[in-house]
């Protein structure tokens, strides 16, 4: 039983860990760039999702963010639209600025720097997806597309037959798709379930920074920015940077969720979370919140708490 239905984009585990670490430690330049890259990609997927939500396609079978096994490797899919007769594979790119194509190579117009040809990744995903579908006994044709979602993306010298949708073409493309969408059948729903069942939570190719509990800055991170919260009233916290207020209970539980994802092998105890949150003075408050939201385990004197699965998989909307 999985809690993630893949009905909207979610942050990858890798992105979440990076975002939790960023305010708590100094990231190297490349690590910061990687975080920006992951976050920008996520925002692009969210934008594509929002565009689909504005059309009637939102009521059809669309899956987001799948990480699928394939022989000895894995592949990641941004979005799938599943019909009985066809599967649309969407790879969303949030590139910004001007690019040009020369033969099969892609370049940034401003600098002339070559970038990785995104069509190669699309071809790979298409190939692995076809293999997987065949393995599951489905003979459904795949129609792959790269969706360039950023309004300021321009591509020069692109041949017309490439499987790419430019920002200015997206509306028409979605309208056309919607106009020909067939009714949903039971077979389609079965295919959807198969994708969800085979989804992997953790990629073998995460590029995470090295981090240690003792060296991380403690405290409660603001849900709106990268600032830290401090006590405001006896029930509320306030952000030192942006002024956002939050009640203590949700502040603590967000921090527990961070702790559980960053340190899956450490026990969640009142003392530990008290230390992790740092700015909540009363241990009793922490203990009460943990007892409300988590399942206690262990001997009474050494009570620790087991996170329910949702705590680790809930996604923040921003
Ligand atoms: Zn803030």
């Amino acid at each position: 039983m999985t809690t993630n239905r893949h009905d909207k984009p979610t942050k990858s585990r890798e992105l979440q860990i990076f975002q939790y670490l960023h305010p708590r430690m100094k990231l190297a330049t490349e690590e910061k760039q990687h975080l920006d890259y992951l976050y920008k990609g996520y925002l692009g997927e969210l934008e594509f999702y929002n565009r689909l939500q504005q059309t009637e396609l939102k009521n059809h079978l669309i899956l987001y963010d799948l990480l699928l096994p394939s022989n000895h490797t894995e592949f990641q899919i941004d979005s799938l639209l599943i019909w009985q007769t066809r599967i649309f594979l969407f790879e969303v790119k949030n590139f910004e600025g001007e690019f040009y194509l020369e033969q099969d190579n892609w370049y940034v117009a401003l600098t002339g720097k070559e970038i990785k040809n995104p069509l190669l990744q699309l071809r790979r995903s298409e190939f692995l997806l076809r293999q997987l579908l065949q393995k599951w006994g489905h003979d459904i044709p795949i129609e792959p597309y790269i969706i360039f979602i950023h309004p300021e993306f321009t591509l020069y010298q692109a041949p017309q037959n490439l499987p790419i949708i430019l920002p200015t073409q997206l509306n028409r493309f979605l309208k056309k798709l919607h106009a020909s969408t067939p009714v949903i059948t039971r077979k389609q729903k079965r295919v959807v379930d198969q994708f969800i069942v085979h989804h992997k939570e953790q990629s073998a190719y995460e590029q995470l920074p090295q981090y240690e509990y003792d060296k991380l800055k403690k405290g409660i991170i603001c849900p709106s920015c990268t600032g830290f919260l401090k006590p405001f009233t006896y029930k509320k916290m306030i952000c030192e940077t942006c002024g956002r207020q939050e009640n203590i209970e949700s502040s603590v539980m967000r921090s527990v969720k961070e702790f559980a994802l960053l340190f899956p092998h450490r026990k969640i105890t009142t003392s530990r979370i008290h230390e992790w949150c740092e700015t909540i003075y009363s241990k009793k408050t922490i203990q009460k919140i943990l007892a409300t939201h988590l399942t206690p385990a262990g001997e009474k004197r050494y009570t620790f708490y087991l996170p329910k699965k949702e705590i680790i998989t809930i996604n923040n909307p921003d």
Side-chain angles (χ1 to χ4, degrees), residues 222 225 239 242:
C222 171
C225 71
C239 175
C242 75

Side-chain angles (χ1 to χ4, degrees), residues 61-94:
L61 298 173
I62 306 177
L63 293 175
Y64 299 89
D65 287 322
L66 293 163
L67 181 63
L68 299 165
S70 163
N71 293 330
H72 301 292
T73 181
E74 62 183 35
F75 66 108
Q76 189 258 330
I77 284 175
D78 288 341
S79 182
L80 289 179
L81 169 60
I82 296 165
W83 290 0
Q84 190 177 7
T85 50
R86 243 183 304 177
I87 289 184
F88 294 88
L89 164 64
F90 300 125
E91 172 67 35
V92 181
K93 291 284 176 211
N94 202 5

Side-chain angles (χ1 to χ4, degrees), residues 71-249:
N71 293 330
H72 301 292
T73 181
E74 62 183 35
F75 66 108
Q76 189 258 330
I77 284 175
D78 288 341
S79 182
L80 289 179
L81 169 60
I82 296 165
W83 290 0
Q84 190 177 7
T85 50
R86 243 183 304 177
I87 289 184
F88 294 88
L89 164 64
F90 300 125
E91 172 67 35
V92 181
K93 291 284 176 211
N94 202 5
F95 293 2
E96 185 182 344
E98 301 181 343
F99 294 77
Y100 66 91
L101 248 167
E102 228 169 59
Q103 282 147 3
D104 282 342
N105 303 325
W106 292 56
Y107 301 90
V108 181
L110 199 63
T111 57
K113 197 180 154 219
E114 190 179 347
I115 59 161
K116 229 167 49 189
N117 178 352
L119 290 167
L120 297 180
Q121 189 198 342
L122 186 73
R123 293 284 170 237
R124 175 181 182 265
S125 300
E126 182 193 357
F127 171 75
L128 295 173
L129 179 62
R130 185 173 300 114
Q131 278 197 334
L132 202 59
L133 286 167
Q134 279 167 358
K135 196 171 143 194
W136 296 344
H138 304 300
D139 187 18
I140 313 175
I142 300 167
E143 233 181 89
Y145 291 98
I146 297 182
I147 310 283
F148 287 99
I149 197 76
H150 199 287
E152 282 166 37
F153 173 81
T154 311
L155 183 63
Y156 298 112
Q157 291 159 231
Q160 290 200 1
N161 59 355
L162 291 182
I164 62 178
I165 306 295
L166 298 171
T168 47
Q169 301 172 313
L170 187 56
N171 273 342
R172 236 175 319 142
F173 175 73
L174 294 180
K175 261 190 207 147
K176 219 175 86 193
L177 263 187
H178 174 243
S180 46
T181 303
V183 289
I184 297 169
T185 63
R186 234 200 268 149
K187 183 185 162 195
Q188 275 165 278
K189 287 188 180 151
R190 245 199 340 265
V191 177
V192 165
D193 288 341
Q194 273 176 309
F195 278 115
I196 293 174
V197 165
H198 286 88
H199 167 75
K200 290 170 59 175
E201 283 295 330
Q202 186 172 349
S203 167
Y205 300 95
E206 289 176 345
Q207 297 172 40
L208 293 174
Q210 296 279 344
Y211 59 94
E212 284 169 44
Y213 177 82
D214 291 337
K215 290 190 182 152
L216 294 182
K217 188 171 175 200
K218 310 298 186 289
I220 298 175
I221 300 170
C222 171
S224 302
C225 71
T226 52
F228 282 84
L229 302 182
K230 62 176 187 185
F232 186 46
T233 65
Y234 84 104
K235 272 194 168 161
K236 277 198 168 154
M237 308 287 289
I238 189 165
C239 175
E240 290 173 311
T241 311
C242 75
R244 165 136 183 196
Q245 294 179 23
E246 187 181 34
N247 73 52
I248 288 184
E249 191 161 342

